[in-house]
Structure formats: structure tokens, C-alpha cells
Amino acid sequence: MFDVVIVQEDTEALCLRISLAQLEILCKQLYETTDTTTRLQAEKALVEFTNSPDCLSKCQLLLESGSSSYSQLLAATCLSKLVSRTSNPLPLEQRIDIRNYVLNYLATRPKLAAFVTQALIQLYARITKLGWFDCQKEDYVFRNVIVDVTRFLQDSVEHCIIGVTILSQLTNEINQADSTHPLTKHRKIASSFRDSSLFDIFTLSCNLLKQASGKNLNLNDESQHGLLMQLLKLAHNCLNFDFIGTSTDESSDDLCTVQIPTSWRSGFVVSSPNSICSESLSDPNNYHEFCRLLARLKSNYQLGELVKVENYPEVIRLIANFTVTSLQHWEFAPNSVHYLLSLWQRLAASVPYVKATEPHMLETYTPEVTKAYITSRLESVHIILRDGLEDPLDDAGLVQQQLDQLSTIGRCEYEKTCALLVQLFDQSAQSYQELLQSTNSSTMDIAVQEGRLTWLVYIIGAVIGGRVSFASTDEQDAMDGELVCRVLQLMNLTDSRLAQAGNEKLELAMLSFFEQFRKIYIGDQVQKSSKSEHFSFLGVNNQANLSDMRCRTTFYTALGRLLMVDLGEDEDQFEQFMLPLTAAFEAIAQMFSTNTFNEQEAKRTLVGLVRDLRGIAFAFNAKTSFMMLFDWMAIELWYHVPACTTPVLKLMAELVHNRSQRLQFDVSSPNGILLFRETSKMITTYGNRILTLGEVPKDQVYALKLKGISICFSMLKAVLSGNYVNFGVFRLYGDDALDNALQTFIKLLLSIPHSDLLDYPKLSQSYYSLLEVLTQDHMNFIASLEPHVVMYILSSISEGLTALDTMVCTGCCSSLDHIVTYLFKQLSRSTKKRAAPMAQESDRFLHIMQQHPEMIQQMLSTVLNIIIFEDCRNQWSMSRPLLGLILLNEKYFADLRNSIVNSQPPEKQQAMHLCFENLMEGIERNLLTKNRDRLPVSRGFIVDLAFFGSGAYRM
């Protein structure tokens, strides 16, 4: 019973108190009634009850004598509020009585309503957390949590579930910061709980799991199934604990690293037998999580460390077999393949840097993985066409992501990859040619070979795009030549079919191939001396026919023409080259004007034409030729379907891209401003239309919406960073083109969930690249945004810091650096005695940051966590915002530093402390370049921290 003292009152006052029966009626009205007025009145009365002096005694009466579950829930909720209040807290003895009462209540009533049990367990967890440092006669009375639940674990299954749930909820409660109590207190409690109790709780969960699995649980029995789920949840909460006090938002990193203390190592010899999950890896969720686990191997360890492990040869063999089997079963959990390929991509990329004498054995297994991927994709074509299954080639983002990974894997032991591709390509191309020449060929057989060739062309483009200049040899370039020649020969074969029945997917694959080929062998970074050497194997047909285009040219013919013709200053030659495209535009106009207008044919024509123009614009690097194209061009948008808008948007994005400084207008020319105004008009028009789509099915959201938005982001980034527009003139002359484009960007951004920003690689790269430009040159615009928009952008940066894509992560570091620099400057101005008044947007931005200090603090924690405990591939970029984050949060940084140091093994704490001392030695309170450069990143601080971090927490 509670030790409660009730002040005596006169009879009239007692009569005014809400009776127990009335409380139960109010609870029922609050939770069950559908009448809004009645519910609001009940809620008001219960709020008054919660604040009344006799609330504590009435809660006990409700628990003892209440006849409804809702009254019990009210009592548990009110008690939680009472023990949590910071003003006029309950005495220690009273809180101990409540804790004991709750445990007895749960023990004697194991079959309460689930929500009542949960509320009472939450009450116990809250009392225990807040009283963690409370002593009674030199005894920490709230720390004997395992003793508290022992009697539950020794009783019935229902009692055991309650006991496990108590430990699980307590672990979660202590792991979560409470906004009503100081953060430093939370950290002290969490650290003490971690050091004194967490490992014992985790060990208990593992032992209980072993016992449960040994009893051959019947998972069809609801209670036994519930016990197993609670045990797994308890183990998960233990592993999900913030061991070092630097966790970011749980949703920010899908692949978080568990920073297990070294002292826990012995606990991980426990293995979970197959009987715990009867479906094993045949269950898609289990399989997916296992693939994620494998992907984290290379994130936590260098290849040089892995090869030194005693069982490495057997482990790498088993992983390779598992990967090959998974790739062969392409229809099972296709989204999980990303993690397996990610592991092999990182392993293959690490081969040149391995200094260990132990063999890594990747020369044996990467060819097997490459072969499994290629052959499985080819074998899938017939099954997909036969059974009408969803074609993976329709998901361009997923295919490109896998090809990017395969490009690195395939270049490891490249001669084997090339030999396999040559063999498979020759077989498919020969079969395809024979089918085309035969009069008895079935449409299905032709479609199968076209599908196989589509995959092969994509893969050939990917492995060529994976060429690394410093690691490539003449022999490998010759292999590239063998593959390129075959694709060009296939192009000559398919050109004859374009007028009758061209295969769109195969054409897109060829476009992808040429983009990769151009990047490696014709790009801006390729030296002129090497270009001629590589052109020798192209075998370009000098008699390429550009006249028979039937209102459609192809990128491939345009590229071949560009390889043969040096346009230079000759405008007549340029006009001759562009003549087929001019004819195509005229043909389209004629199609619209005739009575026999065929909409589908017009769409195909426009799509093909705009794709060709984009390819031509992409290939023009010189100012003269590009300006000829700019003067010749005239475009009108067709927004009816994404198939039409995507190539138009891509064309415009290429047109505004100032590659190799090709966009240089005369000082008196208005073309730069006119080009931006057209760009703004296109973004605004498309953006406003795409936002009217409403809800889009998840499997179509990228194709119908996000792909176009991604291109708009790329377009806006290109024009903002092109250095051919003076953006100050827009506001000066009342032109709203800049404001319209930026406001449309915000509307489009807010329509995208955070998860989608990182789920789709092209969207990620375009958004974070644009954000980097905006924070660098248009920070006043960012500062003027509404608070919820600012928080959305900051959250996206926080999530991007932990992205697997290095380009995204680096862009986030740069954006964060610009933001904290701006914030620090504005804060410095506001503290000066005679500072001029700040602009309205600056004042608003400062206010938002002061209202939400946890956002910047979280990013400081994230950056330090990545630097110290992750496989950081962009240390310099990570270091750039570090000084600004520290200067903005000096007290928080001091607490964070102490927490990290104290979490180390005793023998390493002094060394870690010295690293942090060296970090800030000689650093002044400013963000000048000279002061930034004093940050001792180049002198080994990060290497030292990473060394100590890995030694402390890696298993």
C-alpha cells in the first residue's frame, strides 16, 4: 500500500470530491464515447482530478477497486505524471512504495488488459530511471532490477512475459532522453545503467532464448509466441542502446553501427539455433536482415583486418556461396541484393590497398559473384516474358544502383569478366541475327534475345565505366575495346529495325553504354594523346546514314557523327549536321497540323528527338559549337506523360550545364538571364503540375514523380552554379524568376518523405548537390524559410551524413559547414555591443536554432561518431564542419568528449583524452581559414581517434 497522508477536510469539501464511481464513468466517456462534447467534458474533469491533492490516494483506490480497465489505465497514467514531475517531487519512501505496489499488482494480476499492463510497466520504468541515483541507507534502492523480475521469470508463461517486458521497457526508457529533465542527468543515468546492469540483462535475454529454444516452443500457441517475441525485443533493445552517448535520430541511419563495449565480447559466443525461427533464411525478413548484417562487415573492418581472422577463408567461401545462391534466385527478395553487392563492391575496391600477407581470396570469388549476377539476369528474361512478371529493367534506379556496384566487382579479375561477357554476347548476338534473318522466328524468341542483349549492353557499359585510370593497364583497355566493338556491331544490326519495331529498352541500354564510354574515353579528363589510341578500336562506319530518320534521330548516330566531325568554327558544317534534327522538328509540327494526327507516334517521335538533342548538348564542350546549338534551339514542353517530360527536362538540364565553361555570353548579351528565366519557367510549370498528382503508388512514385523532380533539382543546381547569371538583378528589377524557382524547389522538397531522399540514389545526389549550392550562395534564402522547412532541411542533412553514398555524405558535410558558418557569424554579430541590426531572415534563423539546439548537437555527435567509429572514407570533408559545430556547442562538446573518454577501457582513457586535448590546442573562437587549418586533422587526430575507437568497440 502507498504510504499516503490525507489531510482531513470538512464534510462539505469531501462531498465535492469526485467519487470513485464518477471517475469510472468519466474514464468510460473519455475512451469509448463518440460524442465530441461528452469526451471533452470528461477530459476536462479528469485533468482537474490529475491536479487535485488527493490524486495519489484515488489512484490507489482505482487500482484496488476499479471495475473497468479504463480506470486502471487512468490510475497508471496519473501515477506516471506524479513521479515524473520536477516541481514538488514525491518523497523517496513514497516512490519506493509505489514501485513495490506496482510489482505486486502485476504479479497478482497477470491477465490485465494489455494496455493496462503496458502502462504499469511504463510507470515502473519511469520510477526506476528517475530514482537511479537515489540512496536509502547507502543502498541504491532502484537498481536491483533483475531481482525485481526474478519471481516473474520463475512463474507461468504470462508472468514470464511480464518480467521480460519490464526489462525491455526499462532498457528503452533509460536509453531515451527526457525533454523535461537535464540531458546531463540522462547521460549519467544511461552510463551507469550501461556499466552496471545492461550486460547482465542482455546475458539474461540470451539465456532465456536458449532455454526457450530448447523446450521446442509451439509458436502457434499465442502465449509462447508472445514470450519469444518479447525476448527478441529485449535483446534488440539491449543492442540498440546508445553505448557511447552519440546516437542520432533512429530514423537517420538504416544501417546503424552497434558500438558494443569490449567487455561484452564473451556474450557473443551465444548462437541462436535454427529452432528459434522455423523459417530460417527462407523468410524474406530474416534473409533481408542477414544481408544487411553482411553489408556491415566492410563498414566496420578493413579488408586487411578481415584476412587476419582465423576462419576468414571459410567465412569468405560461405559468403560467396550464399551470394551466388541469392543471385541465382533473382525473384526472391530482390531489394536485399543491394546489400550483398555492396559488400563485394567494397571488398573489391579495397584489394589495391591490402598490405597483409594473408591471401584475401577475392580473385577466386569475385568472378563467381560476377558470373552469377550476369547469368541470372540473362536467364530471368525468358521467365519474365513467359509468365508476365514485373521486369527489373523497368526500375531504372534499381538497375543503375546494381550496375554501379557490379562495375567495381567486375573490374576485379577483369580478364575473366571480359571473357564471360564476350562469350555470352557472341552467343546472344548470333542467335538474334539468325532470328531476324529467319522468316519463321517467333516474336517471343526475338524478345528474349533482345532482353538478354539489353542486360549485356547495360553490364558492358557498367564495367567500362568502372575503369580506374591508375589501376588500368593496356591489356584491360584492349578488353574494353573488344566489348565496345561488339556493342557497335549490335547497333548496326538494330539500326535496320528502328523504322519497323525498335526495342526501347535496348536503345536505352545503348544510351547508357555510350554515356559510360564517353565518360571514360572521351570525357573532359581524358588526355588528347590517349584519345587517339582508344579510337582505333571503335570501328566507326564513315558511311553512317543520317538522312533516313523518319522524324527521329538517335543518340548513337549523333555521337558517331560527333566523333568523325570536328565542327570548329564552321557554321555551315554545323547546319548540315543539324539538318536532320531541323527536319524532325518540322515533321512534328506537320504531324500536329494534320487531320490524321497520331498521338502515340507523336509522343515517340518527340521523346526520341529530345533524347538525341540531350546527347548532342552533352557532347558539345566548346563554346562555339554549344552557342550554335543554343541559337538554333527552340523548345515547347509537353507535360501529358512522364515519358515525354523526362527527356525534355533532361535536355534542359544539359543545356544549362556550363561544362568546360562553354556558356560564355558577351557582356552586353541578355542570354544568361533569358536562359535562367526559361529554366525557372520550366521548373515552376512542371513542379506545379507534378504536385497535383496526389497519392502515387509506392512502386510507381519514382517513375511518375521523383525522377522528374530529381532532374529539376539537377537543372536548378546547374544553372545556379554556372556563373553566367547575376542573380542580384532579379530582385533589383522586380523579376520573380529566381524566387519562383526557389519556392518551387521548396514545395517539391516538402512533398518528398525523408526516406525517399536516400532510397533513390539519383534523387539523393541531385538534391544534396543542389543543397550544397544553396547553402553556399543563397544562405539568406535558406534563413528566410519557415521553421518546419528549416527543420526538414537540417534533418535531411543529418540523415545524409550517414549515407553509404560518399558523394551524398560529402555534400552534406559541405552544406553543414556553410550553415554553421553562417550561424556562427550571425551569432557573433548579435553579441557585439554596437552591432548593426540583423536582417529579418537572419534573426528568424537564429531564433529557430535557439529553439532547437538538439539538431546541431545531434549532428556534432554524428560527425564525431563517424570519424571515430565508422570506416570514414572522406575524413577531410567530415572535418570541415567540425570546428563550427564545436564552437556553437562548446558545453555540449565537453560533455560529449567526457562521455566518449569515460566509455573507453581504463587503459585507453588517457590516450583518448590526449587526442581531444590536441584537437583544440591553439584553436581560437573564429572560423577564419587560418584558424580552421589549425584543426589537426592532417596531424593524425582522426587516425588516432579511429584507432582508439575501433579498439574499444569493435568485436
Side-chain angles (χ1 to χ4, degrees):
M1 291 297 184
F2 303 165
D3 185 11
V4 182
V5 178
I6 304 178
V7 179
Q8 295 296 323
E9 298 177 321
D10 57 47
T11 305
E12 183 178 358
L14 286 173
C15 292
L16 294 175
R17 295 295 182 189
I18 302 176
S19 69
L20 184 62
Q22 288 175 315
L23 280 175
E24 292 198 331
I25 293 173
L26 289 172
C27 289
K28 191 170 184 179
Q29 291 175 344
L30 177 64
Y31 293 112
E32 288 188 349
T33 185
T34 58
D35 182 69
T36 304
T37 304
T38 303
R39 186 169 60 251
L40 289 176
Q41 291 175 347
E43 183 178 1
K44 182 179 178 180
L46 289 174
V47 168
E48 293 177 356
F49 162 72
T50 303
N51 297 324
S52 64
D54 61 347
C55 176
L56 190 58
S57 59
K58 283 290 178 63
C59 286
Q60 181 179 350
L61 289 175
L62 284 174
L63 289 172
E64 288 293 334
S65 306
S67 60
S68 107
S69 298
Y70 295 132
S71 61
Q72 294 168 333
L73 175 62
L74 174 67
T77 304
C78 290
L79 288 174
S80 292
K81 292 180 179 179
L82 287 174
V83 300
S84 302
R85 68 189 184 191
T86 54
S87 60
N88 191 24
L90 295 179
L92 174 60
E93 293 76 9
Q94 207 165 57
R95 285 183 283 127
I96 294 174
D97 289 340
I98 295 175
R99 188 270 311 268
N100 295 336
Y101 180 82
V102 169
L103 289 173
N104 290 329
Y105 194 86
L106 289 169
T108 56
R109 297 170 176 82
K111 295 187 178 182
L112 293 168
F115 57 85
V116 176
T117 300
Q118 182 62 34
L120 289 169
I121 292 174
Q122 176 66 40
L123 169 59
Y124 169 84
R126 182 63 54 86
I127 293 175
T128 304
K129 175 182 178 178
L130 297 179
W132 191 256
F133 290 111
D134 290 341
C135 285
Q136 188 181 56
K137 298 179 181 179
E138 299 183 357
D139 178 28
Y140 290 102
V141 290
F142 290 103
R143 295 194 183 183
N144 297 323
V145 291
I146 294 182
V147 175
D148 288 345
V149 301
T150 298
R151 60 171 171 168
F152 290 95
L153 302 179
Q154 297 173 346
D155 210 321
S156 66
V157 174
E158 288 79 8
H159 283 87
C160 195
I161 290 176
I162 293 174
V164 173
T165 306
I166 288 174
L167 294 177
S168 181
Q169 183 61 46
L170 176 63
T171 303
N172 188 63
E173 174 72 25
I174 292 183
N175 193 37
Q176 299 296 323
D178 185 354
S179 59
T180 61
H181 294 83
L183 185 60
T184 53
K185 181 179 179 181
H186 159 72
R187 287 211 177 108
K188 289 179 181 178
I189 294 172
S191 298
S192 175
F193 176 78
R194 175 200 65 199
D195 297 336
S196 64
S197 303
L198 186 57
F199 183 61
D200 292 336
I201 294 175
F202 177 67
T203 303
L204 177 63
S205 71
C206 293
N207 291 335
L208 291 173
L209 279 171
K210 288 179 63 177
Q211 293 175 17
S213 62
K215 294 178 180 178
N216 295 320
L217 289 179
N218 178 12
L219 296 182
N220 292 322
D221 183 285
E222 184 177 348
S223 62
Q224 295 186 28
H225 184 272
L227 174 59
L228 182 59
M229 293 303 297
Q230 289 300 327
L231 284 171
L232 292 172
K233 185 176 181 180
L234 172 58
H236 177 268
N237 285 349
C238 291
L239 294 175
N240 202 40
F241 197 83
D242 182 7
F243 293 98
I244 58 175
T246 59
S247 286
T248 58
D249 180 13
E250 289 182 357
S251 64
S252 65
D253 187 8
D254 188 38
L255 290 176
C256 59
T257 301
V258 181
Q259 308 289 355
I260 300 296
T262 306
S263 59
W264 285 43
R265 186 183 302 244
S266 61
F268 282 82
V269 299
V270 179
S271 60
S272 300
N274 290 335
S275 58
I276 285 184
C277 181
S278 59
E279 294 180 322
S280 188
L281 292 179
S282 61
D283 177 71
N285 291 328
N286 294 346
Y287 170 79
H288 183 74
E289 293 303 322
F290 182 68
C291 291
R292 291 178 60 194
L293 172 65
L294 292 178
R296 293 305 290 176
L297 279 177
K298 185 57 182 65
S299 297
N300 287 328
Y301 301 96
Q302 298 296 335
L303 181 56
E305 296 173 322
L306 292 173
V307 297
K308 295 179 181 179
V309 177
E310 180 181 357
N311 296 322
Y312 172 79
E314 178 65 11
V315 170
I316 196 67
R317 182 186 68 81
L318 292 174
I319 293 177
N321 292 342
F322 176 78
T323 304
V324 169
T325 303
S326 297
L327 293 173
Q328 290 170 344
H329 293 80
W330 52 268
E331 71 284 0
F332 180 78
N335 293 330
S336 305
V337 171
H338 161 75
Y339 299 107
L340 294 176
L341 294 180
S342 174
L343 168 65
W344 288 99
Q345 178 191 26
R346 293 184 175 192
L347 290 173
S350 300
V351 169
Y353 309 103
V354 177
K355 305 300 182 183
T357 57
E358 292 82 357
H360 54 69
M361 307 180 72
L362 295 183
E363 71 281 357
T364 300
Y365 296 119
T366 51
E368 294 181 7
V369 173
T370 302
K371 180 179 180 181
Y373 182 87
I374 296 172
T375 55
S376 64
R377 270 52 195 168
L378 300 187
E379 293 167 358
S380 71
V381 173
H382 180 263
I383 300 173
I384 290 170
L385 291 174
R386 182 195 65 194
D387 300 339
L389 304 177
E390 184 178 354
D391 192 347
L393 288 171
D394 292 333
D395 190 344
L398 180 63
V399 171
Q400 190 58 53
Q401 184 183 62
Q402 293 180 359
L403 292 177
D404 289 343
Q405 295 168 325
L406 186 70
S407 65
T408 304
I409 304 170
R411 295 297 295 202
C412 187
E413 299 298 311
Y414 188 44
E415 64 279 1
K416 296 180 181 179
T417 301
C418 183
L420 175 65
L421 287 172
V422 167
Q423 175 191 353
L424 295 173
F425 192 96
D426 287 348
Q427 292 174 355
S428 293
Q430 182 177 356
S431 299
Y432 185 52
Q433 186 173 17
E434 292 173 354
L435 288 170
L436 294 181
Q437 294 172 350
S438 173
T439 57
N440 299 324
S441 302
S442 68
T443 304
M444 171 64 80
D445 291 339
I446 294 176
V448 168
Q449 293 305 323
E450 286 181 339
R452 291 170 62 90
L453 288 169
T454 298
W455 273 111
L456 288 168
V457 171
Y458 268 124
I459 293 169
I460 288 173
V463 296
I464 290 176
R467 178 184 183 270
V468 180
S469 58
F470 68 84
S472 295
T473 63
D474 292 339
E475 290 77 11
Q476 290 185 346
D477 289 346
M479 296 176 200
D480 286 350
E482 289 289 325
L483 297 175
V484 171
C485 286
R486 281 166 169 76
V487 177
L488 291 176
Q489 291 167 0
L490 176 64
M491 182 189 72
N492 292 332
L493 180 62
T494 58
D495 279 350
S496 61
R497 288 175 51 81
L498 287 178
Q500 294 82 27
N503 186 293
E504 180 181 355
K505 291 180 181 177
L506 182 55
E507 292 180 34
L508 291 175
M510 289 184 174
L511 179 59
S512 173
F513 160 80
F514 273 117
E515 288 178 344
Q516 296 293 337
F517 173 71
R518 185 213 62 80
K519 179 181 70 175
I520 298 301
Y521 287 107
I522 316 176
D524 303 335
Q525 305 302 320
V526 180
Q527 297 180 359
K528 292 184 178 179
S529 60
S530 65
K531 289 183 180 179
S532 59
E533 297 172 4
H534 301 314
F535 284 163
S536 60
F537 60 68
L538 287 178
V540 178
N541 180 12
N542 290 327
Q543 302 301 320
N545 183 11
L546 287 176
S547 59
D548 183 18
M549 309 189 77
R550 198 174 180 272
C551 307
R552 186 187 186 281
T553 59
T554 63
F555 169 81
Y556 330 115
T557 308
L559 179 61
R561 189 67 173 177
L562 287 171
L563 292 175
M564 292 182 290
V565 179
D566 181 13
L567 297 177
E569 300 284 340
D570 192 342
E571 293 189 15
D572 293 334
Q573 200 172 21
F574 176 83
E575 290 179 1
Q576 182 179 2
F577 172 74
M578 300 299 291
L579 182 62
L581 298 181
T582 305
F585 273 116
E586 293 174 351
I588 290 177
Q590 187 175 8
M591 290 170 66
F592 279 100
S593 63
T594 60
N595 294 329
T596 58
F597 171 71
N598 186 313
E599 182 178 4
Q600 294 302 318
E601 183 178 359
K603 287 180 180 178
R604 288 195 298 270
T605 302
L606 180 59
V607 170
L609 177 60
V610 177
R611 282 177 178 158
D612 298 335
L613 287 174
R614 178 193 169 219
I616 294 170
F618 190 86
F620 283 162
N621 290 322
K623 174 188 175 183
T624 304
S625 57
F626 189 83
M627 289 311 301
M628 291 179 187
L629 175 64
F630 179 69
D631 293 337
W632 173 87
M633 279 278 311
I635 58 173
E636 292 185 12
L637 297 181
W638 191 355
Y639 280 100
H640 295 140
V641 289
C644 294
T645 59
T646 295
V648 174
L649 291 171
K650 285 187 175 181
L651 168 61
M652 194 63 181
E654 185 56 45
L655 193 64
V656 299
H657 192 175
N658 195 10
R659 181 182 294 105
S660 301
Q661 298 300 308
R662 62 187 181 181
L663 279 168
Q664 296 181 20
F665 300 105
D666 294 335
V667 68
S668 60
S669 171
N671 284 342
I673 294 175
L674 293 175
L675 182 58
F676 179 80
R677 291 177 67 180
E678 290 302 316
T679 305
S680 173
K681 186 187 301 182
M682 181 176 291
I683 292 173
T684 303
T685 304
Y686 175 81
N688 289 333
R689 291 197 179 188
I690 204 67
L691 289 173
T692 62
L693 287 179
E695 291 294 327
V696 180
K698 183 65 176 178
D699 59 340
Q700 302 179 36
V701 69
Y702 182 78
L704 295 180
K705 179 181 178 182
L706 298 183
K707 185 174 184 179
I709 292 177
S710 175
I711 300 170
C712 285
F713 288 175
S714 298
M715 187 193 311
L716 186 56
K717 183 260 182 181
V719 76
L720 289 177
S721 60
N723 294 322
Y724 52 83
V725 183
N726 185 340
F727 293 103
V729 303
F730 290 100
R731 178 171 294 182
L732 182 63
Y733 293 103
D735 192 323
D736 58 1
L738 176 61
D739 187 60
N740 289 342
L742 295 178
Q743 292 299 333
T744 302
F745 157 69
I746 294 299
K747 289 191 289 186
L748 291 173
L749 178 62
L750 294 179
S751 72
I752 305 172
H754 268 149
S755 57
D756 287 351
L757 286 177
L758 291 174
D759 284 349
Y760 300 95
K762 290 187 176 180
L763 177 62
S764 299
Q765 293 176 6
S766 62
Y767 165 65
Y768 286 106
S769 297
L770 171 57
L771 187 60
E772 185 177 355
V773 173
L774 288 174
T775 54
Q776 179 178 354
D777 300 326
H778 300 271
M779 194 56 213
N780 286 338
F781 167 72
I782 299 293
S784 68
L785 297 172
E786 293 297 322
H788 71 283
V789 183
V790 173
M791 297 306 295
Y792 181 97
I793 292 175
L794 291 176
S795 297
S796 71
I797 294 175
S798 179
E799 296 182 7
L801 287 172
T802 58
L804 292 175
D805 190 328
T806 305
M807 182 183 299
V808 170
C809 180
T810 301
C812 287
C813 292
S814 181
S815 299
L816 179 57
D817 185 28
H818 297 320
I819 290 174
V820 297
T821 300
Y822 176 89
L823 186 59
F824 185 82
K825 289 180 179 179
Q826 300 304 322
L827 198 60
S828 298
R829 286 185 57 195
S830 68
T831 56
K832 291 181 180 179
K833 293 182 178 180
R834 298 183 179 179
M838 285 191 296
Q840 182 178 357
E841 61 271 12
S842 301
D843 187 55
R844 175 191 293 180
F845 191 67
L846 274 179
H847 180 70
I848 294 173
M849 293 296 97
Q850 290 167 350
Q851 291 292 108
H852 300 278
E854 73 281 356
M855 182 60 70
I856 297 295
Q857 292 172 356
Q858 175 182 303
M859 286 192 272
L860 172 57
S861 296
T862 300
V863 170
L864 272 180
N865 188 33
I866 292 173
I867 289 175
I868 301 175
F869 299 108
E870 292 284 344
D871 182 17
C872 187
R873 292 167 290 170
N874 53 342
Q875 292 177 349
W876 187 88
S877 298
M878 276 290 175
S879 71
R880 301 318 290 168
L882 185 58
L883 180 57
L885 289 169
I886 292 173
L887 294 181
L888 287 173
N889 302 275
E890 291 180 281
K891 185 179 183 303
Y892 177 82
F893 174 70
D895 294 339
L896 186 60
R897 176 194 60 198
N898 294 335
S899 176
I900 294 176
V901 171
N902 293 334
S903 65
Q904 302 298 307
E907 67 273 11
K908 291 188 176 181
Q909 289 185 6
Q910 181 61 33
M912 179 69 89
H913 179 75
L914 183 60
C915 285
F916 277 106
E917 290 294 323
N918 292 338
L919 173 66
M920 300 307 294
E921 183 179 357
I923 300 296
E924 301 174 0
R925 293 199 79 262
N926 65 67
L927 293 180
L928 298 177
T929 302
K930 184 178 180 180
N931 194 44
R932 287 174 182 266
D933 292 341
R934 291 195 184 105
L935 207 66
V937 174
S938 60
R939 287 184 274 154
F941 163 73
I942 288 180
V943 175
D944 289 342
L945 277 184
F947 171 76
F948 290 116
S950 63
Y953 292 108
R954 290 182 184 170
M955 292 181 56

